[in-house]
Amino acid sequence: MPTTLNSRRLARHAWLLPLALYAGTVPAATLGELLQLARENDAQWAAAREAAAAGAEKAVQGRAGLLPTVSLNANLRENDEHSSTYQGGRDYTSSGVTLQAAQPLYRPANWAAAKQGELQSVLAAQQLRIAEQELLLRVAKGYFEVLQAQDALQTLQAQKDSFSQQLAQAQKSLDVGVVPITDVNEAQSRYDLTVAQEVAAANELEVKRRTLEKSINRELPPLAPLAPQAGIDRVPAEQARDWVERAPTESLQVSAAQITRDIAEREVAVREAGHQPALDLVASVGENRNANFTSLGRNTVRQASVGLELSLPIYQGGAISSRAREAAANLRRAEQELEDARRQARLDARQAQLGVQSGLALSRALTQAEQSGQTQLTSTRRGLEVGLRNRIDVLNAEQQLYATRRDLSAARYQTLIAGLQLRAAAGQLTEPDLMALDALLANP
């Protein structure tokens, strides 16, 4: 029976051999190192940078409406002319060139559009900050979720090995008639269930690895693990409360919603300005040549002009008023979206704060539970040796201990993630915050 079990274990663990060899030859990557890889390779971050570059051009485009415009027009024509005043026809060439310039003097819509372009450029920069914050969270969460999945798989493998030993011992005891068949069946059931859980945990680990690989666009190297005694209380209680209070005003998403609201307000000014007159200073200089042979010979006309042009919209079919009403409705919508962003920021901050508080409390409780579970398991094993406990009691104690270890590992990682989410909700998450977490990692 032990030989058969060992063969099964070797077969099931064969897929881990390449990973073990790979981990032994490649140095473990820290969170900071993985973040740098993501900055260089993450497609979402690259797209956000290009979007910010495109948005910066809105300021230039807005200012263009306040600056002079200069255009050059030229023409060259072949003419075939027939007239009732003379017989036959005439073929001749004509040409012309005109240089025109215009300087807006009074265009309220252009001034409002220029301010709007500046705000759109600021919004693009703010959206880049949001994208950077999302990148930091995405990488940190992915890193710790991979470590959590690794810990869960390793715990299940240790649990399976322990149940395998219990199964082998139960089989030996059955062979000599010391225990009933129910002990073997119970041990076999626990072992089979753990094998199924190990398969699910291995799949979960693979999914987490592939998710993180998407950001770095390469095979994920071994990750530096969290040190067993690393402190996870990274957010003082007073600081956490302060961030919760500041989140509705300092959240990056709230700032973006405020800028969007200001842009909508400028759009109202642009549309309402459609009713107002526009005044431009215009100048032009040109020359027209006509090669038609008349009694005066070739004809060349040079002309220069400078003056003012005034335009006043009288009636546009109601389009101007309709666009103004549309802009006003969009402004009211932006104001409601701003209020929603404030409420969401407050909610996110409070949820993250609760995640930190409950995570710390849960970690302390599970640490104590792990110690108690280890003591219970030791006592139960001794009780089995002297006949006071049965093998099912040992299996229950082992299963409870390993479940406690999995929960403790998850609580530690989720507490660290919640701390980062709290910083992000208050608009305070920066790259140094992630770099500081490298100090919690065990030396490779």
Side-chain angles (χ1 to χ4, degrees):
M1 184 69 176
T3 302
T4 303
L5 288 174
N6 288 336
S7 299
R8 291 179 186 172
R9 290 160 58 187
L10 287 173
R12 290 193 178 101
H13 291 172
W15 66 275
L16 291 172
L17 183 58
L19 180 61
L21 293 175
Y22 177 72
T25 58
V26 179
T30 64
L31 179 56
E33 293 169 345
L34 214 65
L35 176 60
Q36 294 307 315
L37 288 174
R39 282 193 179 279
E40 297 169 2
N41 298 282
D42 187 81
Q44 294 183 51
W45 171 240
R49 293 200 308 270
E50 297 304 326
E57 298 301 321
K58 293 294 185 180
V60 178
Q61 296 167 15
R63 288 194 299 270
L66 305 178
L67 300 177
T69 59
V70 181
S71 61
L72 178 67
N73 298 314
N75 64 79
L76 177 64
R77 298 185 177 92
E78 290 292 334
N79 302 278
D80 182 12
E81 183 178 289
H82 297 272
S83 175
S84 60
T85 60
Y86 55 83
Q87 294 183 353
R90 295 174 179 175
D91 296 328
Y92 62 93
T93 302
S94 63
S95 62
V97 59
T98 303
L99 180 65
Q100 296 177 321
Q103 169 62 57
L105 297 180
Y106 180 75
R107 284 185 175 268
N110 289 21
W111 282 100
K115 294 292 185 182
Q116 188 180 48
E118 293 176 359
L119 289 172
Q120 289 171 331
S121 179
V122 173
L123 177 61
Q126 184 69 6
Q127 289 172 335
L128 181 62
R129 291 184 61 197
I130 293 174
E132 181 180 26
Q133 184 173 265
E134 291 174 348
L135 174 68
L136 297 177
L137 277 177
R138 188 163 61 250
V139 172
K141 186 177 181 181
Y143 187 97
F144 289 128
E145 285 184 346
V146 168
L147 293 183
Q148 179 181 335
Q150 288 179 174
D151 287 357
L153 179 59
Q154 291 170 0
T155 302
L156 284 169
Q157 289 170 346
Q159 177 178 315
K160 186 184 71 172
D161 291 341
S162 179
F163 285 176
S164 175
Q165 295 175 8
Q166 293 294 330
L167 177 58
Q169 293 173 5
Q171 186 63 47
K172 289 182 180 179
S173 299
L174 177 65
D175 292 342
V176 297
V178 177
V179 298
I181 187 64
T182 54
D183 280 20
V184 176
N185 293 340
E186 182 69 25
Q188 184 70 57
S189 174
R190 300 293 180 93
Y191 176 84
D192 293 340
L193 177 60
T194 304
V195 169
Q197 292 173 336
E198 181 189 18
V199 172
N203 181 72
E204 180 70 11
L205 173 58
E206 190 67 15
V207 170
K208 298 300 183 183
R209 287 176 58 85
R210 294 291 177 260
T211 301
L212 195 51
E213 286 175 353
K214 176 176 175 286
S215 293
I216 64 175
N217 195 32
R218 65 185 64 185
E219 186 175 358
L220 188 67
L223 303 183
L226 188 66
Q229 302 304 320
I232 59 173
D233 189 0
R234 308 286 296 177
V235 182
E238 285 293 333
Q239 184 69 77
R241 286 192 291 270
D242 179 59
W243 283 339
V244 170
E245 293 299 322
R246 292 161 58 184
T249 57
E250 298 189 13
S251 165
L252 299 186
Q253 286 78 7
V254 171
S255 297
Q258 179 64 59
I259 298 171
T260 301
R261 183 263 173 205
D262 294 341
I263 292 173
E265 185 177 39
R266 293 295 178 182
E267 181 66 18
V268 172
V270 170
R271 296 307 179 184
E272 289 180 346
H275 294 286
Q276 301 184 33
L279 180 65
D280 296 336
L281 174 65
V282 296
S284 65
V285 59
E287 179 179 286
N288 292 289
R289 295 181 179 182
N290 191 331
N292 186 10
F293 287 94
T294 64
S295 59
L296 299 177
R298 294 176 181 269
N299 182 29
T300 298
V301 178
R302 295 184 178 88
Q303 184 180 16
S305 66
V306 62
L308 298 175
E309 285 189 359
L310 176 68
S311 63
L312 177 64
I314 302 299
Y315 181 68
Q316 302 292 330
I320 296 177
S321 298
S322 176
R323 294 190 186 106
R325 292 193 299 270
E326 177 189 16
N330 285 332
L331 173 59
R332 293 191 295 270
R333 182 192 66 183
E335 289 173 342
Q336 294 303 317
E337 290 175 346
L338 172 59
E339 178 60 27
D340 181 69
R342 288 170 177 158
R343 296 177 186 179
Q344 188 63 48
R346 183 182 295 109
L347 175 61
D348 292 343
R350 286 177 175 172
Q351 287 179 335
Q353 181 191 30
L354 290 175
V356 172
Q357 293 173 345
S358 62
L360 290 172
L362 185 60
S363 296
R364 288 192 291 267
L366 288 172
T367 298
Q368 182 60 46
E370 182 187 20
Q371 297 174 358
S372 301
Q374 184 62 61
T375 302
Q376 178 192 7
L377 177 58
T378 301
S379 300
T380 304
R381 284 174 175 171
R382 291 176 180 172
L384 178 63
E385 295 173 357
V386 299
L388 298 177
R389 292 295 185 94
N390 57 36
R391 196 165 303 279
I392 294 178
D393 294 331
V394 174
L395 291 170
N396 288 336
E398 288 181 340
Q399 189 168 24
Q400 180 177 334
L401 176 60
Y402 287 118
T404 300
R405 288 175 177 171
R406 287 197 303 274
D407 293 343
L408 175 58
S409 172
R412 286 165 56 81
Y413 292 121
Q414 293 306 312
T415 301
L416 291 174
I417 293 174
L420 295 176
Q421 291 172 334
L422 177 56
R423 291 176 181 272
Q428 305 299 316
L429 182 62
T430 61
E431 183 173 334
D433 294 324
L434 261 68
M435 295 297 187
L437 294 179
D438 282 351
L440 304 181
L441 304 178
N443 293 327

